[in-house]
Amino acid sequence: MRSLLLPLVLGLAALAGAARAADLPALWAERVKSTVAVEYTVQNENDRHPTLAYGVVIDGRGTIILPSAAIDQRLATSQLRDFRVYLPGDPTGYAGTYLGQDVYTGWHFVRVEEKVRSRLTPITAFARPASPVPALAEELWGIGLRPKEEDFMPYLLQSHLALIQSLPQKTGVTQQEVAGPGLPVFNREGAFVGLALSSFGQTFMQFSEGNRGGEAVILVDLEESSAFQLADEVLPNLGRVPRNVDGRPLAWLGAYGLEPMDRDVASFLKLSAQSGAVVSEVLENSPAEKAGMKPHDIIVAIDGRPIPRFRPDRVVTDYVEREIERRRPGDVMALTVLRGSDRIELKATLGDEPKLVREADRTYFDRLGFTAREFVYGDAVARRIKVGEGGGAIVRYVKPNGPAALANLQSDDWIQEVDGAPVRTYAEAVAKLAAIEKDPLRSEFVLLVRRGSDTAILRVKLR
């Protein structure tokens, strides 16, 4: 009897699998409506260049999330122009509006114009009340999009789950590419199981017969990814739409240069079952300084909960930073630190992060051939000086072959004097440089700049 049942069970399982496979075209037709390509222009001082990214629709208002790597973190939001949203297989671009970046998830948010929203399906339509966690070796599938010249035609990717790891978000890794970065991953039943990350799982090494030096070339697949963030890490955060394009308010602690606790130190302190983050520096006037934190303190618990054990060790720094980023200025963060052999409880009231480089005011002087930007808190940290000792302006961009470039002015130079007169503020620097820019009789001017620990006097010739 048992010998008859086994073939019957196997046959039914095969039929069920075939039925699910037959349903894949129907599942595909609906789920591809949750994906888009987003094109935008980066406006620099002397050129414009288009950039492409892939994203997923998250609500009925046409809100789209793009992965963190889709937009360079150093770009000012004023440089991001002309957002266009493309549906798979449709060469028509629709107007999009950049909403900003959420620092906790890293996602960039874009909203498409209303007239096309009815053709889109939010990814939440394919989510389950209890997000399914795929099992090891489970078959998964996802969506990739071809380039613009092929009208972003969608195509199918399939693979099997190889690993789930906390990095610190729960991240699945498949045996081969399963979706385009920023695009969704599904199980065989069509349930949303995750969102593909920027590619890091698959790399290829290429050797050339003509390469006598023996150097290998590493190729990274940027259009497809084998890594994805699990749905239960994605779905709870879809409501984190930024209030403004700068993503503010931004919570700030001021514990700088976090490093993972050394394994030997952890063993000595009997902390092998957990991770810890070592504070390299406590920033001036920061919430961490006001709370009494000291350099070399080891953060071992947050809000009374020990920091989990992570592998690789470096993941712990991301974990602590994300714990800060998910909060808001004014929140109280309880920190347990080890200082030598003492265990100390600290309470830090988080502040609003000082102005970032990407938010700094900037002015381009075309005749002089460079852009000056405002000196911000981070510049003082990078130069290891007190905030009150900063000022003047920082060189952001130098036009190739322009007067400033020929005088050897370089990006990130700190302008401290113009024509022998100190410039203590950005406004002073801009006023002096603007006067030179507008003076047709000026043939040259002199800058005193600081570059690292050195200073240099540069004579800029305008004729």
Side-chain angles (χ1 to χ4, degrees), residues 216-404:
V217 177
I218 301 296
L219 305 177
V220 180
D221 189 347
L222 298 178
E223 296 184 353
E224 300 170 351
S225 179
S226 58
F228 64 96
Q229 195 174 109
L230 266 58
D232 60 2
E233 294 277 4
V234 174
L235 295 171
N237 295 311
L238 295 182
R240 296 184 64 92
V241 182
R243 298 180 182 181
N244 52 68
V245 293
D246 292 319
R248 289 193 175 271
L250 300 172
W252 181 53
L253 177 63
Y256 184 68
L258 296 177
E259 297 286 346
M261 177 172 54
D262 182 85
R263 291 190 183 187
D264 292 337
V265 172
S267 178
F268 176 76
L269 296 172
K270 297 181 172 55
L271 294 173
S272 299
Q274 70 165 96
S275 294
V278 182
V279 178
S280 298
E281 185 178 350
V282 178
L283 298 182
E284 179 186 1
N285 297 326
S286 68
E289 183 183 68
K290 294 172 183 176
M293 184 175 285
K294 304 292 183 185
H296 311 302
D297 280 354
I298 304 174
I299 302 172
V300 294
I302 298 173
D303 291 337
R305 297 187 302 274
I307 295 178
R309 184 175 184 269
F310 291 107
R311 287 292 182 268
D313 293 332
R314 65 179 181 275
V315 173
V316 68
T317 63
D318 290 336
Y319 175 83
V320 174
E321 288 168 357
R322 282 173 55 81
E323 282 295 306
I324 298 166
E325 291 163 352
R326 73 181 180 86
R327 293 167 164 80
R328 292 189 176 277
D331 289 352
V332 176
M333 191 172 186
L335 299 164
T336 304
V337 303
L338 295 180
R339 187 177 298 162
S341 58
D342 296 328
R343 193 179 186 92
I344 299 171
E345 303 294 334
L346 303 175
K347 286 192 175 182
T349 301
L350 298 177
D352 194 11
E353 186 162 5
K355 182 180 282 191
L356 302 172
V357 169
R358 70 170 184 262
E359 299 173 293
D361 293 335
R362 58 191 68 191
T363 305
Y364 176 55
F365 301 97
D366 183 60
R367 184 179 173 219
L368 310 186
F370 71 96
T371 297
R373 69 160 174 82
E374 181 182 8
F375 189 103
V376 296
Y377 186 99
D379 294 310
V381 173
R383 289 161 175 77
R384 308 191 71 80
I385 63 172
K386 291 186 176 296
V387 175
E389 296 174 0
I394 303 294
V395 176
R396 180 197 171 275
Y397 165 82
V398 180
K399 182 169 67 175
N401 300 317

Side-chain angles (χ1 to χ4, degrees), residues 68-112:
S68 175
I71 297 177
D72 190 331
Q73 307 293 320
R74 298 167 296 180
L75 292 173
T77 53
S78 61
Q79 294 179 270
L80 308 177
R81 311 279 182 84
D82 305 328
F83 279 80
R84 305 289 292 176
V85 177
Y86 293 84
L87 279 57
D90 184 351
T92 306
Y94 301 93
T97 302
Y98 182 64
L99 304 179
Q101 183 182 26
D102 171 55
V103 67
Y104 175 64
T105 60
W107 298 332
H108 298 272
F109 288 73
V110 175
R111 186 163 289 151
V112 70

